[in-house]
Amino acid sequence: MFYSDYHIHSRFSGDCNEDLDEIIKKSIGLGLREIAITDHFEKDMINLSKEWDIDLNKYSEEILRLKEKYRKDIDIKLGLEVGIQYQTIDFFEKELKKYPLDFVIASSHGINRYDLSVGVLQEGKTRDEMQDLYFRTVLKNVENYKKFNVYGHLDFVTRYGGAKFRGMNIENHMDVIEKILKGLIDKGKGIEINTSGYRYGENRVYPDFDIIKKYFDLGGEIITIGSDSHRKDDITKDFKVAYEILEKLGVKYISSFEKMEPSFIKIK
């Protein structure tokens, strides 16, 4: 029995049409005690369509309404997944203060206004060059952004660009990855185990096992597990793998959040 899923998208995300009531009913049926709805909040991306213009007032009001409606059955967290770029940091820092958020995932979906999924950033680069650009961007974001709890799918750069860019060259980038992890730990931030890598054909979680291990070896404590589901049927998908990873590493707790503050739930 799994305790929580801390990365779930709904119809408020530009890439999802799933109804929130259906998400919640599915989660209750799975026996979850907590879920975090973490819809996308993106800004200043080239060719970003209107579907991505999330109305945070309506979004937060709806989550809070459902939190009360289902409070006897499940604890619903008001979350966001914020697509951080260096030029948008100040905007996000100010905007997120307006809402009673429980949990925020910081993610790097774009660099210099280009979405990673489009392919422009990969043009003319080798796999190592693309991964170097990505991780150095993440490091810059970690050093400068404050309003978040965990960094999302920390090495998912391999998802985009085709077969040429698949596969992590961890050894070649561990210096900057270690700086990222130390920066997160120093700021009291965590990472997530994101199981969507299996659904995207990479046969792994994000981040890779060696990065998760390094985070704990360096003294990290905060970790959530998220399906990154955009369909209710993907909630808790491949969580067995995530829990096996934590067991292998000797990790006995996962994190829970309330009003941006972590607590720790013992893994049964």
Side-chain angles (χ1 to χ4, degrees), residues 33-60:
R33 300 288 300 277
E34 297 181 359
I35 56 172
I37 308 299
T38 53
D39 279 321
H40 288 290
F41 188 22
E42 302 286 341
K43 186 75 174 175
D44 196 29
M45 200 92 78
I46 291 172
N47 296 325
L48 193 68
S49 64
K50 290 184 177 180
E51 287 82 4
W52 292 89
D53 290 338
I54 185 170
D55 185 328
L56 289 181
N57 289 315
K58 288 184 179 179
Y59 173 70
S60 58

Side-chain angles (χ1 to χ4, degrees), residues 122 137 193 250:
Q122 291 87 345
T137 299
I193 299 180

